[in-house]
């Protein structure tokens, strides 16, 4: 399977990022808790050097709790602040403000020594497409969405959302481009739906997903779809098509439809909380 990313998007996203990152103290990097490493782009380490860093395991509700905790420990061990969140439901949001202050304590201390008091921390949300950046910003900003910047006389300024007296957030997230030189990374990003399905062979992707499940979560597919799970991946997909009545012209198995059904069930959490990569593999 081959994945493509468009250099046009990439250069534009990178240019925006380089411009905006100059304005901020803190990079809030969203990752997908199901694939915390594959959903990162390590270029952010270079772009965000000298900035305070906070990594969020977003969509934590879709990943296994024990692995969320293991990943938190992993990132903290690398010197990042790290919080698991569910931006959609607002889970984990309360602890974020304290963590932001903690992540920025060197900057706050530096300000204090220079006699600058109470200058808000300026932050920016970054992450690859579909990781939940907009949802997170909306959830964090909530109704206290008082905007600063673009005041009369400050035209063409950036839009800042004042979260509280200590923190201002850039209202547009920075888009990082996914990094999938490694096929297994591309595959996992395709599983979670971060790469447009149109450019992929749906059934091939679903078959790969079946293989992953056989290896890492044996029994889940059998239980969910009442299928025999020992056979080859396409056989299992056929079983899913049969048990879910995915048929073309009333009789032929519709493998495309079964593949979509399986992938959507996974993406929406209907197969339970699943984690696709683990710290001990890194
Ligand atoms: P962006 O492209 O990074 O801005 O991503 P969006 O904010 O548009 O979110 C992409 C999809 O993920 C949307 O369907 C959101 O509802 C969903 N989403 C975002 N955060 C979470 C979360 O914490 N949990 C779950 N289950 N879904 C989420």
């Amino acid at each position: 399977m081959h994945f493509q990313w468009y250099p046009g998007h990439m250069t534009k996203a990178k240019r925006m990022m380089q411009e905006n990152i100059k304005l901020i103290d803190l990079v809030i990097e969203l990752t997908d808790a199901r694939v915390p490493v594959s959903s990162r782009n390590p270029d952010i380490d270079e772009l965000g050097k000298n900035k305070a860093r906070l990594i969020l395991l977003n969509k934590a509700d879709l990943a296994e709790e024990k692995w969320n905790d293991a990943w938190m420990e992993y990132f903290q061990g690398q010197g990042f602040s790290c919080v698991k969140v569910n931006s959609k439901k607002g889970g984990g949001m309360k602890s974020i403000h304290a963590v932001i202050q903690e992540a920025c304590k060197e900057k706050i201390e530096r300000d204090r020594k220079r006699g600058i008091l109470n200058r808000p921390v300026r932050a920016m949300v970054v992450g690859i497409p579909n990781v939940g950046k907009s949802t997170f910003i909306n959830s964090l900003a909530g109704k206290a969405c008082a905007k600063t910047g673009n005041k009369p006389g400050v035209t063409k300024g950036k839009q800042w959302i004042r979260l509280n007296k200590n923190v201002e957030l850039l209202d547009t997230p920075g888009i990082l481009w996914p990094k999938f030189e490694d096929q297994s990374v591309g595959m996992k990003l395709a599983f979670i739906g971060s790469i447009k399905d149109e450019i992929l062979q749906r059934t091939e992707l679903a078959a790969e997903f079946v293989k992953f499940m056989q290896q890492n979560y044996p029994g889940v597919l059998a239980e969910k779809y009442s299928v025999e799970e020992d056979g080859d991946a396409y056989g299992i997909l056929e079983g899913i098509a049969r048990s879910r009545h995915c048929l073309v012209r009333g009789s032929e198995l519709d493998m495309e439809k079964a593949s979509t059904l399986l992938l959507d069930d996974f993406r929406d959490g209907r197969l339970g909380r699943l984690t696709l990569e683990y710290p001990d593999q890194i």
Side-chain angles (χ1 to χ4, degrees):
M1 243 188 265
H2 285 280
F3 303 101
Q4 282 207 345
W5 186 250
Y6 304 99
H9 286 153
M10 196 162 98
T11 21
K12 185 161 175 248
K14 193 159 187 168
R15 203 172 339 103
M16 286 276 288
M17 186 77 77
Q18 282 164 334
E19 207 177 281
N20 287 336
I21 216 157
K22 291 183 202 143
L23 309 172
I24 57 148
D25 310 298
L26 169 71
V27 176
I28 302 176
E29 180 187 353
L30 264 74
T31 66
D32 187 305
R34 295 166 296 176
V35 282
V37 169
S38 294
S39 59
R40 291 190 71 200
N41 182 328
D43 292 358
I44 191 64
D45 289 335
E46 179 60 27
L47 285 164
K49 64 172 192 271
N50 308 324
K51 306 289 176 187
R53 300 283 299 279
L54 167 57
I55 290 185
L56 301 182
L57 298 171
N58 192 40
K59 310 197 186 186
D61 54 305
L62 297 176
E64 263 193 285
E65 194 62 15
K66 70 167 184 196
W67 292 118
N68 290 345
D69 290 335
W71 278 115
M72 246 174 89
E73 211 172 285
Y74 170 87
F75 285 121
Q76 285 165 346
Q78 296 205 325
F80 297 103
S81 296
C82 184
V83 182
K84 44 186 179 179
V85 290
N86 171 357
S87 300
K88 209 166 160 181
K89 292 266 169 70
M93 291 296 163
K94 280 203 203 96
S95 61
I96 288 203
H97 288 290
V99 178
I100 289 178
Q101 294 307 305
E102 173 67 22
C104 294
K105 64 173 190 265
E106 278 175 29
K107 180 244 176 227
I108 294 164
E109 183 59 16
R110 223 166 34 236
D111 278 0
R112 201 186 59 80
K113 282 192 178 138
R114 291 182 189 148
I116 306 165
L117 290 178
N118 302 327
R119 186 169 70 181
V121 166
R122 291 197 145 183
M124 172 185 181
V125 170
V126 310
I128 65 168
N130 207 40
V131 79
K133 297 179 294 299
S134 310
T135 311
F136 172 76
I137 291 173
N138 288 336
S139 173
L140 191 65
K143 291 189 190 77
C145 190
K147 296 214 168 156
T148 64
N150 275 4
K151 294 165 195 153
V154 202
T155 43
K156 288 192 191 147
K158 299 281 170 191
Q159 288 279 357
W160 295 91
I161 303 167
R162 181 151 214 153
L163 297 177
N164 57 36
K165 67 178 181 9
N166 298 322
V167 188
E168 291 182 356
L169 186 67
L170 204 56
D171 76 339
T172 39
I175 299 169
L176 291 171
W177 42 101
K179 194 138 189 148
F180 41 81
E181 281 135 25
D182 180 339
Q183 287 293 292
S184 95
V185 171
M187 191 76 73
K188 286 184 242 176
L189 291 177
F191 288 166
I192 65 167
S194 263
I195 298 172
K196 282 207 174 64
D197 278 353
E198 297 93 81
I199 63 171
L200 299 167
Q201 288 293 327
R202 185 85 50 99
T203 47
E204 201 179 331
L205 182 66
E208 290 297 330
F209 181 71
V210 166
K211 284 183 209 159
F212 169 84
M213 292 298 287
Q214 285 175 304
Q215 247 172 38
N216 295 276
Y217 289 98
V220 171
L221 297 181
E223 161 90 24
K224 173 83 179 167
Y225 302 107
S226 317
V227 289
E228 279 294 331
E229 216 188 79
D230 312 323
D232 86 307
Y234 283 95
I236 291 166
L237 266 183
E238 282 173 8
I240 294 173
R242 214 170 288 119
S243 82
R244 288 302 154 103
H245 308 291
C246 302
L247 303 171
V248 255
R249 280 174 250 110
S251 57
E252 241 171 86
L253 293 178
D254 188 340
M255 298 293 278
E256 186 84 11
K257 195 169 167 197
S259 300
T260 303
L261 183 138
L262 172 64
L263 291 168
D264 284 350
D265 278 349
F266 162 64
R267 289 170 186 171
D268 295 336
R270 287 188 292 272
L271 299 180
R273 297 175 70 172
L274 305 176
T275 300
L276 304 188
E277 62 192 17
Y278 317 101
D280 56 5
Q281 295 170 336
I282 305 301

